[in-house]
Amino acid sequence: MGITIRDVAEAAGVSTATVSRALRGLPNVDEGTRSRVQKIAADLDYVISPSASRLASGRTGSIAVVTPYIARWFFSTVLSGVEDVLQEADIDLLLTCIGDHNNQLNRSPVAPRLRRRVDGILIIAVPPADPQLRELIDLGMPTSMIGLTAAGVPSVTIDDVAAARLATQHLINLGHTRIGVISGSPSDAPFTAEFDREAGFAQAMNSAGIEVDPMLESYGYFSIEGGEAAMTALLTQPKPPTAVFALSDEMAFGALRALRAHGLRPGVDVSVVGVDGHDMAEHLDLTTVVQPVAELGRIAADSLLAQMREGGEQPHSARVDTKLVVRGSTGPALGTTPSPSSGSRA
Amino acid sequence: MGITIRDVAEAAGVSTATVSRALRGLPNVDEGTRSRVQKIAADLDYVISPSASRLASGRTGSIAVVTPYIARWFFSTVLSGVEDVLQEADIDLLLTCIGDHNNQLNRSPVAPRLRRRVDGILIIAVPPADPQLRELIDLGMPTSMIGLTAAGVPSVTIDDVAAARLATQHLINLGHTRIGVISGSPSDAPFTAEFDREAGFAQAMNSAGIEVDPMLESYGYFSIEGGEAAMTALLTQPKPPTAVFALSDEMAFGALRALRAHGLRPGVDVSVVGVDGHDMAEHLDLTTVVQPVAELGRIAADSLLAQMREGGEQPHSARVDTKLVVRGSTGPALGTTPSPSSGSRA
DNA sequence: TTAATCCATGTAATCGCTTGTGTAGAGCCC
DNA sequence: GGGCTCTACACAAGCGATTACATGGATTAA
């Protein structure tokens, strides 16, 4: 019921082979013939059959994006960057949500569903311990990861250790010494970012000669509610912190809310700094270390496309810079003369 | 290089036709044969080639989701609901971002790219005036829309008029009479929701015998910044409103921020109510009319699948209920005894 | 001039599955 | 027991492209 390549071939008085070459821009086609074929194809409103093309060529012209969440800010923002690039490259984007490892959504494993269906895979911030991750990598197709690293697989990340150091150092520079941290979860499969950001926090504290007080560590499970609970826990300690580093902006949002609930002023009574550069951070006046999230997606998609093209090319990982953006949620420790802090005041 | 249906057929000592029928659960296959084939297919680690299957059957087993934004809360939340259903149904989800009509991202039109590529289309809240919308509908394939209606196309929406009435009535019940509204944009291609919510606002005002003051209408362009600017504009009037209805939660967020910037307390000095049930609304203590956004996506996806299955079935639209959730951002008009307000206090 | 290239094009096999049609045997009825 | 209907299966013709290989004419090199 559709126009096929044969109809075009007949109308143009050439073989289907020539039509195929002409339309795909392959060499060894007379330019006159090519434009004639193009015109006829357009006139006939011919649309290639992807199924036939895929079957014959063995390429699917599509890639899968595998993500643990769709509706969370970080993930949807990465996704939008990815989509940007793929649409440009005329590659189909298959969206698949992997079950949340912690929540145990009992989704069927995604890896088998992807075989023979896509030419490449883009994985967004799956916890490295997720068993599905291995299956995906073992599929052996071009793969690129975002916010997550694994041996032998190219990835795009920020330097989470450095980002955490940046945030922590900012608090230290402001004269704080009782610095709390709102982490992800005590023991569950951590995201790469979680692990590294904790490390960066500890590094900054150590270099400044400040001891990390285990009493000032609390868990926010990367959610707003969690961050609120974590901050509340910190505030109800005998000696509460004067500043808190939250491993993510969303947890920092919760922390800010807890502060208000306790009648404390962010940036005055207690300083809060996050990491991510969430859209809402600006509106909540949160100091944060910004990462270019959509850009992460774009870079990873580009890298994946390169991998798919060249094949032999040694795929390499990219590391993207972050930037401290100082806002009202952080301020000098009371009774202290702060040393000049790095970062731009927004 | 992969196992084909023929390998399975040979190993099972049957024809490929039988393997095909057995594996797809078609009738007229001996149950003994069927389970034998299934076992062999599993042992051989056979995976069907979608391209071949699609070419032969004419069905693609995939649907496209067309959306103007990916990284915005409403859209990504709908998307997650859709993905949920489609994964369950084993249908591929092709994600395509249509250019933003207002921002004029010069994206190539999406409709032609979808032909022969998907069996159905799901459209999320594209402005009805977007020229691409017609092209998509004219493709003539099963289609379902979310947050948007068009003649002859099944859709899933909330009753935006009623939702706006609910929000406005809440303010009226609290004794407010100088009620402002933060709308989308003055004249640009409006979303369906925009149009209807304005209508609902006017209805509620009229029934209460309150005149709508054009001076108290401001435009927030459905963004946080826009909402902030709009509220600022309202506040700097000679006679500012005591309550404001924002057509979306995100604009309401901006409004709250403007309030704080002016030293005004939300819910005390000025009341603000939004619509959407955005994740952050709870954390910003915003009174809002909640719509079940992910559910919208799920229902639309289900409806699309039904359409694709039955074919002859008269597709019908669904309308989903909303609920007023009262929080701290709204309170009684000063010097007034409020009448009891509907909605649950959260 | 002749052989070697090269370019534009055609021929036809192939990709791996679906499905309409054909058929043999089993069970049924009268 | 002959004619029916049914079931379980095989056969083989597509589906609509891609692409290795073949071909013949034009161009170039020797």
Side-chain angles (χ1 to χ4, degrees), chain B residues 93-126:
Chain B
L93 156 25
L94 244 73
L95 181 61
T96 20
C97 193
I98 207 171
D100 181 335
H101 180 53
N102 296 325
N103 292 3
Q104 290 297 350
L105 286 179
N106 56 349
R107 289 237 166 138
S108 51
V110 306
R113 313 171 50 114
L114 262 31
R115 291 178 51 189
R116 291 181 165 222
R117 194 163 295 252
V118 295
D119 297 333
I121 305 180
L122 225 38
I123 305 176
I124 310 183
V126 167

Side-chain angles (χ1 to χ4, degrees), chain A residues 221-236:
Chain A
Y221 303 91
F222 283 96
S223 73
I224 304 181
E225 301 80 15
E228 186 172 356
M231 180 55 117
T232 303
L234 290 176
L235 291 176
T236 51

Side-chain angles (χ1 to χ4, degrees), chain A residues 170-226:
Chain A
H170 171 60
L171 298 177
I172 294 171
N173 290 348
L174 286 168
H176 294 280
T177 51
R178 286 196 61 72
I179 303 179
V181 60
I182 298 181
S183 186
S185 48
S187 62
D188 252 355
F191 292 93
T192 306
E194 181 171 359
F195 189 84
D196 289 350
R197 290 176 190 178
E198 281 184 359
F201 172 73
Q203 279 183 21
M205 294 290 273
N206 288 338
S207 333
I210 308 174
E211 204 173 334
V212 175
D213 183 350
M215 291 299 292
L216 296 185
E217 176 158 17
S218 194
Y219 299 100
Y221 303 91
F222 283 96
S223 73
I224 304 181
E225 301 80 15

Side-chain angles (χ1 to χ4, degrees), chain A residues 15-36:
Chain A
S15 70
T16 61
T18 300
V19 174
S20 178
R21 294 187 193 108
L23 258 26
R24 286 185 301 147
L26 294 187
N28 295 339
V29 176
D30 181 79
E31 282 312 315
T33 307
R34 189 191 301 277
S35 54
R36 186 160 43 90

Side-chain angles (χ1 to χ4, degrees), chain B residues 4-292:
Chain B
T4 75
I5 198 174
R6 218 170 42 225
D7 300 319
V8 178
E10 280 167 14
V14 295
S15 73
T16 62
T18 299
V19 173
S20 177
R21 296 191 186 105
L23 258 26
R24 286 185 302 147
L26 295 187
N28 295 339
V29 176
D30 181 81
E31 282 311 317
T33 308
R34 191 191 300 276
S35 54
R36 186 160 44 90
V37 168
Q38 285 173 335
K39 170 148 186 8
I40 290 175
D43 288 350
L44 257 38
D45 204 21
Y46 167 71
V47 179
I48 197 177
S49 156
S51 324
S53 168
R54 289 166 183 183
L55 177 57
S57 73
R59 295 171 235 109
T60 67
S62 45
I63 73 104
V65 173
V66 178
T67 174
Y69 308 101
I70 292 175
R72 289 203 186 180
W73 174 79
F74 177 85
F75 299 86
S76 64
T77 305
V78 168
L79 184 59
S80 75
V82 169
E83 196 274 343
D84 214 17
V85 171
L86 293 186
Q87 176 139 161
E88 188 66 32
D90 204 27
I91 299 279
D92 286 353
L93 156 25
L94 244 73
L95 181 61
T96 20
C97 193
I98 207 171
D100 181 335
H101 180 53
N102 296 325
N103 292 3
Q104 290 297 350
L105 286 179
N106 56 349
R107 289 237 166 138
S108 51
V110 306
R113 313 171 50 114
L114 262 31
R115 291 178 51 189
R116 291 181 165 222
R117 194 163 295 252
V118 295
D119 297 333
I121 305 180
L122 225 38
I123 305 176
I124 310 183
V126 167
D130 192 313
Q132 297 221 36
L133 181 57
R134 260 263 72 77
E135 293 179 31
L136 286 170
I137 295 175
D138 288 346
L139 252 26
M141 46 176 122
T143 301
S144 182
M145 316 197 298
I146 299 151
L148 158 71
T149 57
V153 182
S155 61
V156 180
T157 52
I158 60 168
D159 186 338
D160 282 292
V161 179
R165 259 198 322 247
L166 203 55
T168 310
Q169 190 61 49
H170 169 61
L171 298 176
I172 294 171
N173 290 347
L174 286 167
H176 294 279
T177 51
R178 287 196 60 73
I179 303 179
V181 60
I182 299 180
S183 186
S185 49
S187 63
D188 252 356
F191 293 94
T192 305
E194 180 170 0
F195 189 83
D196 288 351
R197 291 177 190 178
E198 280 183 0
F201 171 73
Q203 279 184 19
M205 295 290 274
N206 288 338
S207 334
I210 308 174
E211 204 172 334
V212 175
D213 182 349
M215 290 300 290
L216 295 185
E217 175 159 17
S218 193
Y219 300 99
Y221 303 91
F222 283 97
S223 72
I224 303 181
E225 301 78 17
E228 185 171 356
M231 181 54 117
T232 303
L234 290 176
L235 290 176
T236 50
Q237 301 227 347
K239 287 187 67 179
T242 66
V244 168
F245 167 48
L247 259 56
S248 81
D249 279 355
E250 274 163 309
M251 294 194 291
F253 296 160
L256 291 180
R257 191 161 151 68
L259 246 43
R260 289 216 188 77
H262 285 251
L264 297 169
R265 290 157 301 171
V268 180
D269 301 311
V270 178
S271 287
V272 175
V273 61
V275 179
D276 272 350
H278 191 294
D279 282 347
M280 294 290 292
E282 182 182 347
H283 303 282
L284 291 174
D285 209 22
L286 174 73
T287 296
T288 186
V289 176
V290 175
Q291 57 174 325

